[in-house]
Short mmCIF file of all heavy atoms in Angstrom, two decimals:
data_model
loop_
_atom_site.label_atom_id
_atom_site.label_comp_id
_atom_site.label_asym_id
_atom_site.label_seq_id
_atom_site.Cartn_x
_atom_site.Cartn_y
_atom_site.Cartn_z
N ASP A 26 -80.29 39.47 -39.38
CA ASP A 26 -79.32 40.15 -40.23
C ASP A 26 -78.23 40.82 -39.40
O ASP A 26 -77.05 40.76 -39.73
CB ASP A 26 -80.00 41.22 -41.09
CG ASP A 26 -80.85 40.62 -42.20
OD1 ASP A 26 -80.69 39.41 -42.49
OD2 ASP A 26 -81.67 41.36 -42.77
N LYS A 27 -78.62 41.45 -38.30
CA LYS A 27 -77.64 42.11 -37.43
C LYS A 27 -76.70 41.08 -36.81
O LYS A 27 -75.50 41.32 -36.68
CB LYS A 27 -78.34 42.93 -36.36
CG LYS A 27 -79.06 44.13 -36.93
CD LYS A 27 -79.24 45.20 -35.89
CE LYS A 27 -79.90 46.41 -36.47
NZ LYS A 27 -79.06 47.20 -37.30
N ARG A 28 -77.24 39.94 -36.43
CA ARG A 28 -76.42 38.88 -35.85
C ARG A 28 -75.40 38.38 -36.87
O ARG A 28 -74.23 38.19 -36.57
CB ARG A 28 -77.31 37.73 -35.39
CG ARG A 28 -76.56 36.59 -34.76
CD ARG A 28 -77.56 35.56 -34.20
NE ARG A 28 -76.86 34.44 -33.66
CZ ARG A 28 -76.68 33.30 -34.31
NH1 ARG A 28 -77.15 33.14 -35.53
NH2 ARG A 28 -76.02 32.31 -33.75
N GLN A 29 -75.87 38.16 -38.10
CA GLN A 29 -74.97 37.70 -39.17
C GLN A 29 -73.88 38.74 -39.44
O GLN A 29 -72.72 38.39 -39.63
CB GLN A 29 -75.76 37.42 -40.46
CG GLN A 29 -76.66 36.23 -40.39
CD GLN A 29 -75.88 34.92 -40.35
OE1 GLN A 29 -74.70 34.87 -40.64
NE2 GLN A 29 -76.56 33.86 -39.98
N GLU A 30 -74.27 39.99 -39.47
CA GLU A 30 -73.31 41.07 -39.71
C GLU A 30 -72.26 41.11 -38.59
O GLU A 30 -71.07 41.27 -38.84
CB GLU A 30 -74.04 42.40 -39.81
CG GLU A 30 -73.14 43.57 -40.16
CD GLU A 30 -73.92 44.86 -40.31
OE1 GLU A 30 -75.12 44.81 -40.65
OE2 GLU A 30 -73.32 45.91 -40.08
N PHE A 31 -72.70 40.97 -37.36
CA PHE A 31 -71.79 40.98 -36.21
C PHE A 31 -70.82 39.80 -36.29
O PHE A 31 -69.62 39.96 -36.08
CB PHE A 31 -72.60 40.94 -34.91
CG PHE A 31 -71.75 40.92 -33.68
CD1 PHE A 31 -70.97 42.01 -33.34
CD2 PHE A 31 -71.76 39.81 -32.85
CE1 PHE A 31 -70.19 42.00 -32.18
CE2 PHE A 31 -70.98 39.78 -31.69
CZ PHE A 31 -70.21 40.88 -31.36
N ARG A 32 -71.34 38.63 -36.61
CA ARG A 32 -70.49 37.44 -36.71
C ARG A 32 -69.47 37.59 -37.85
O ARG A 32 -68.32 37.17 -37.72
CB ARG A 32 -71.34 36.19 -36.93
CG ARG A 32 -72.13 35.81 -35.68
CD ARG A 32 -73.11 34.72 -35.93
NE ARG A 32 -72.41 33.46 -36.15
CZ ARG A 32 -72.99 32.38 -36.63
NH1 ARG A 32 -74.27 32.39 -36.94
NH2 ARG A 32 -72.31 31.28 -36.80
N LEU A 33 -69.88 38.23 -38.94
CA LEU A 33 -68.96 38.46 -40.05
C LEU A 33 -67.87 39.45 -39.64
O LEU A 33 -66.69 39.24 -39.96
CB LEU A 33 -69.71 38.96 -41.28
CG LEU A 33 -68.89 39.11 -42.56
CD1 LEU A 33 -68.21 37.80 -42.96
CD2 LEU A 33 -69.78 39.60 -43.69
N LYS A 34 -68.23 40.49 -38.90
CA LYS A 34 -67.23 41.43 -38.40
C LYS A 34 -66.25 40.74 -37.46
O LYS A 34 -65.05 40.99 -37.50
CB LYS A 34 -67.90 42.60 -37.68
CG LYS A 34 -68.57 43.58 -38.60
CD LYS A 34 -69.21 44.70 -37.79
CE LYS A 34 -69.94 45.69 -38.65
NZ LYS A 34 -70.59 46.74 -37.85
N GLN A 35 -66.77 39.88 -36.61
CA GLN A 35 -65.90 39.11 -35.73
C GLN A 35 -64.93 38.26 -36.55
O GLN A 35 -63.74 38.21 -36.26
CB GLN A 35 -66.71 38.20 -34.81
CG GLN A 35 -67.37 38.89 -33.67
CD GLN A 35 -68.15 37.91 -32.80
OE1 GLN A 35 -68.66 36.90 -33.27
NE2 GLN A 35 -68.24 38.21 -31.52
N ALA A 36 -65.45 37.57 -37.56
CA ALA A 36 -64.61 36.70 -38.39
C ALA A 36 -63.52 37.51 -39.08
O ALA A 36 -62.36 37.08 -39.17
CB ALA A 36 -65.46 35.96 -39.41
N LYS A 37 -63.86 38.69 -39.57
CA LYS A 37 -62.87 39.53 -40.23
C LYS A 37 -61.79 39.97 -39.25
O LYS A 37 -60.60 39.98 -39.57
CB LYS A 37 -63.52 40.75 -40.89
CG LYS A 37 -64.31 40.40 -42.12
CD LYS A 37 -64.99 41.62 -42.72
CE LYS A 37 -65.77 41.25 -43.97
NZ LYS A 37 -66.44 42.41 -44.57
N ASP A 38 -62.19 40.34 -38.04
CA ASP A 38 -61.21 40.73 -37.03
C ASP A 38 -60.34 39.54 -36.62
O ASP A 38 -59.12 39.68 -36.43
CB ASP A 38 -61.90 41.30 -35.79
CG ASP A 38 -62.32 42.75 -35.95
OD1 ASP A 38 -61.90 43.39 -36.94
OD2 ASP A 38 -63.05 43.26 -35.08
N ILE A 39 -60.94 38.38 -36.49
CA ILE A 39 -60.17 37.18 -36.15
C ILE A 39 -59.17 36.89 -37.26
O ILE A 39 -58.01 36.54 -36.98
CB ILE A 39 -61.11 35.98 -35.90
CG1 ILE A 39 -61.89 36.21 -34.60
CG2 ILE A 39 -60.34 34.67 -35.85
CD1 ILE A 39 -63.04 35.25 -34.38
N LEU A 40 -59.58 37.07 -38.49
CA LEU A 40 -58.67 36.88 -39.62
C LEU A 40 -57.49 37.84 -39.54
O LEU A 40 -56.34 37.45 -39.71
CB LEU A 40 -59.42 37.06 -40.93
CG LEU A 40 -58.61 36.94 -42.22
CD1 LEU A 40 -57.96 35.58 -42.32
CD2 LEU A 40 -59.50 37.21 -43.42
N ARG A 41 -57.77 39.11 -39.26
CA ARG A 41 -56.69 40.09 -39.09
C ARG A 41 -55.77 39.66 -37.95
O ARG A 41 -54.55 39.77 -38.03
CB ARG A 41 -57.26 41.47 -38.80
CG ARG A 41 -57.81 42.16 -40.01
CD ARG A 41 -58.27 43.60 -39.68
NE ARG A 41 -59.31 43.97 -40.60
CZ ARG A 41 -60.61 43.95 -40.35
NH1 ARG A 41 -61.06 43.61 -39.18
NH2 ARG A 41 -61.48 44.30 -41.28
N GLY A 42 -56.38 39.21 -36.87
CA GLY A 42 -55.60 38.75 -35.71
C GLY A 42 -54.70 37.58 -36.05
O GLY A 42 -53.56 37.50 -35.58
N LEU A 43 -55.18 36.68 -36.89
CA LEU A 43 -54.35 35.54 -37.29
C LEU A 43 -53.13 36.00 -38.08
O LEU A 43 -52.06 35.41 -37.97
CB LEU A 43 -55.17 34.55 -38.12
CG LEU A 43 -56.15 33.70 -37.34
CD1 LEU A 43 -56.95 32.82 -38.29
CD2 LEU A 43 -55.46 32.87 -36.29
N GLY A 44 -53.30 37.06 -38.87
CA GLY A 44 -52.15 37.62 -39.58
C GLY A 44 -51.10 38.13 -38.62
O GLY A 44 -49.90 37.92 -38.80
N VAL A 45 -51.55 38.79 -37.55
CA VAL A 45 -50.63 39.28 -36.52
C VAL A 45 -49.96 38.11 -35.81
O VAL A 45 -48.74 38.11 -35.61
CB VAL A 45 -51.38 40.19 -35.51
CG1 VAL A 45 -50.49 40.57 -34.34
CG2 VAL A 45 -51.92 41.43 -36.20
#
Side-chain angles (χ1 to χ4, degrees):
D26 288 345
K27 291 204 178 286
R28 180 174 177 262
Q29 291 290 345
E30 184 177 332
F31 179 66
R32 289 172 71 193
L33 186 57
K34 286 180 182 178
Q35 283 181 330
K37 287 178 180 180
D38 280 349
I39 291 168
L40 178 59
R41 284 185 207 99
L43 286 177
V45 173

